[in-house]
Amino acid sequence: MSFRQAFDAERLKRDAERRAREDAERARQEADEARSVALYEILAADPAFLAEKKLTLDRSRYTVMLEHPDFRLRAYFEDGQVNVTAADKRSATTITAAPTKQEYVDTVEQALDVLARYLADETI
C-alpha cells in the first residue's frame, strides 16, 4: 500500500465514523423531540383541567412547560432522560425562577407522574 492509499483509507474511515456519530446524535435528538411531543399531547388532552389549575401549557424544542402565576413545572428531554423540575416564582428574584425540586426519569410516563406529584405539592 502506498502512502496515498493509506491516507485515503484513513480519511474514508474517519468520514464513516463521523457520519455514524452524526447519525446517532440526530436519532437521539429526534427521539427526545418525539418524547417531548408525546408528553405535550398527553397534557394538552385535558384543557379543562389545565384551566382549572390555572396552568398554561407550552412546548419548545425538547421542553414541555406548565406555567402558573406562582410556579413553573418543566420537563426537559435530553439523551434519553427527562429532567423534571419545579420552580417557585413567588420567591424568585429574577424572571427565571430557579428549580426548587428536580428529578431525572427515563420515560414519558414517569415524567407525567413526577409532574403530577409536583403539581400536587404546589396546590395542597
Side-chain angles (χ1 to χ4, degrees), residues 43-57 66 119:
L43 296 171
D46 194 349
F49 178 75
L50 295 176
E52 174 189 324
K53 297 299 179 187
K54 299 178 185 163
L55 294 169
T56 304
L57 177 63
L66 289 164
L119 179 60

Side-chain angles (χ1 to χ4, degrees), residues 38-98:
L39 179 61
Y40 178 85
E41 290 173 352
I42 291 168
L43 296 171
D46 194 349
F49 178 75
L50 295 176
E52 174 189 324
K53 297 299 179 187
K54 299 178 185 163
L55 294 169
T56 304
L57 177 63
D58 194 16
R59 192 185 76 76
S60 63
R61 192 169 186 180
Y62 312 124
T63 306
V64 176
M65 294 159 289
L66 289 164
E67 294 284 338
H68 182 274
D70 294 334
F71 58 88
R72 173 183 301 117
L73 305 177
R74 181 177 170 268
Y76 178 70
F77 294 78
E78 183 176 31
D79 289 334
Q81 281 196 310
V82 191
N83 178 12
V84 184
T85 59
D88 187 348
K89 292 180 178 180
R90 295 167 290 224
S91 62
T93 57
T94 65
I95 198 162
T96 57

